[in-house]
Amino acid sequence: MAARSALASGGWTPWLYLAPALVVLGGLLVYPIYQLGLISFFQYTQAQVSGGEPTSFEGLANYAELFGDPQFWQVLLATVLFAAACVVSTLAVGCALAVLLTRVRAVPRLALMLAATGAWATPAVTGSTVWLFLFDPDFGPVNRMLGLGDHSWTYGRLSAFFLVLLEVVWCSFPFVMVTVYAGIRAVPGEVLEAACLDGASQWRIWRSVLAPILRPILVVVTIQSVIWDFKVFTQIYVMTGGGGIAGQNLVLNVYAYQQAFASSQYSLGSAIGVVMPPRPRPC
């Protein structure tokens, strides 16, 4: 009776409209996640895929093997540090350019917005390939401009991570820039004029006026950046050739790919996927 009365009063009407989308999302998201978790509890390698050996229940053995592998903890630490550097750099560049957009005239502002949109719309594989060419030791213009000769940016661990960081920031800062710029434009002009009349510098206006007002927006873009940068795969895989020399540039996504597909340890790769958060698509 209660359900019928809620339905008659229109309380379930929104859910009825959402039902088709929820069914589709359930099939596309819930079921794969369920399969991912299920496989992580079994021994599932190429032998089981081909039908040569039966699948056996392993319980938490895959997780014990994963957490007992020193390489996993090294990759996890590298992933956290790399993601933190990407997040801080992306927020710094995006916020700085957002403030710049409020200081320039219409034509430069439009040009900067179009350039940023182009970087944002560029596929990750294409952008990574272009950045590899720019820093190529033989034909890249960056080495020629800096007089570095045939220096290889992808040979050293830190320089390779730095090169990937530049590409990640390049394709990620437009989201932060556009979002923060929209927030700044929504701030009442009287507030900024009062701060200027009080003699506040641009940095003081940002730190004491704009940042507190834009805190909800900054929280959103920070959370999005953390999720995106923690799950970087394409840039690392393309620019370092699958994780760098002897795996020195591995991050968790690439490490999971190597375990699951390169080594055919699908159950171990699934265990890595379970301990990683879900990922929306950044760029």
Side-chain angles (χ1 to χ4, degrees):
M1 293 297 295
R4 184 175 301 177
S5 131
L7 183 59
S9 64
W12 287 7
T13 301
W15 293 104
L16 293 177
Y17 284 110
L18 289 173
L22 293 176
V23 171
V24 173
L25 289 176
L28 295 178
L29 296 178
V30 176
Y31 181 73
I33 292 176
Y34 162 75
Q35 285 292 336
L36 183 73
L38 184 64
I39 293 174
S40 68
F41 292 106
F42 286 84
Q43 182 183 7
Y44 200 71
T45 63
Q46 187 61 40
Q48 283 74 32
V49 173
S50 61
E53 295 181 8
T55 302
S56 59
F57 181 75
E58 297 291 327
L60 298 177
N62 290 316
Y63 293 94
E65 179 181 354
L66 178 65
F67 295 143
D69 184 5
Q71 187 181 20
F72 168 75
W73 297 106
Q74 294 173 5
V75 172
L76 177 61
L77 177 61
T79 303
V80 172
L81 295 178
F82 175 73
C86 288
V87 170
V88 172
S89 302
T90 301
L91 291 177
V93 173
C95 291
L97 291 178
V99 174
L100 177 63
L101 286 176
T102 65
R103 300 288 186 267
V104 298
R105 296 182 179 274
V107 174
R109 181 166 61 247
L110 178 61
L112 180 56
M113 293 285 283
L114 290 176
T117 303
W120 197 5
T122 302
V125 174
T126 305
S128 301
T129 304
V130 170
W131 277 81
L132 272 181
F133 169 75
L134 293 176
F135 289 84
D136 185 84
D138 298 320
F139 307 103
V142 173
N143 280 8
R144 295 183 182 182
M145 293 175 57
L146 298 179
L148 297 178
D150 59 352
H151 172 72
S152 176
W153 291 81
T154 59
Y155 183 79
R157 185 178 189 229
L158 294 180
S159 61
F161 269 128
F162 176 72
L163 181 58
V164 178
L165 180 145
L166 293 179
E167 202 280 335
V168 171
V169 172
W170 175 77
C171 75
S172 301
F173 84 85
F175 169 74
V176 177
M177 182 189 74
V178 172
T179 306
V180 174
Y181 173 70
I184 293 176
R185 298 297 294 179
V187 175
E190 297 81 2
V191 176
L192 301 179
E193 291 178 4
C196 291
L197 291 176
D198 288 340
S201 63
Q202 293 299 324
W203 168 247
R204 185 62 184 271
I205 292 176
W206 168 260
R207 184 170 62 88
S208 302
V209 179
L210 288 177
I213 295 176
L214 299 176
R215 183 172 299 155
I217 294 177
L218 294 176
V219 169
V220 170
V221 296
T222 300
I223 292 175
Q224 292 277 37
S225 297
V226 168
I227 296 174
W228 293 344
D229 295 338
F230 193 81
K231 307 286 287 187
V232 166
F233 172 82
T234 305
Q235 291 89 341
I236 288 285
Y237 191 83
V238 173
M239 300 181 71
T240 65
I245 301 173
Q248 64 181 2
N249 296 112
L250 283 176
V251 293
L252 278 179
N253 253 3
V254 181
Y255 180 64
Y257 174 84
Q258 287 190 352
Q259 294 296 327
F261 298 101
S263 302
S264 298
Q265 297 288 338
Y266 303 111
S267 52
L268 189 58
S270 298
I272 300 174
V274 169
V275 300
M276 296 172 67
R279 173 194 188 189
R281 178 73 172 96
C283 60

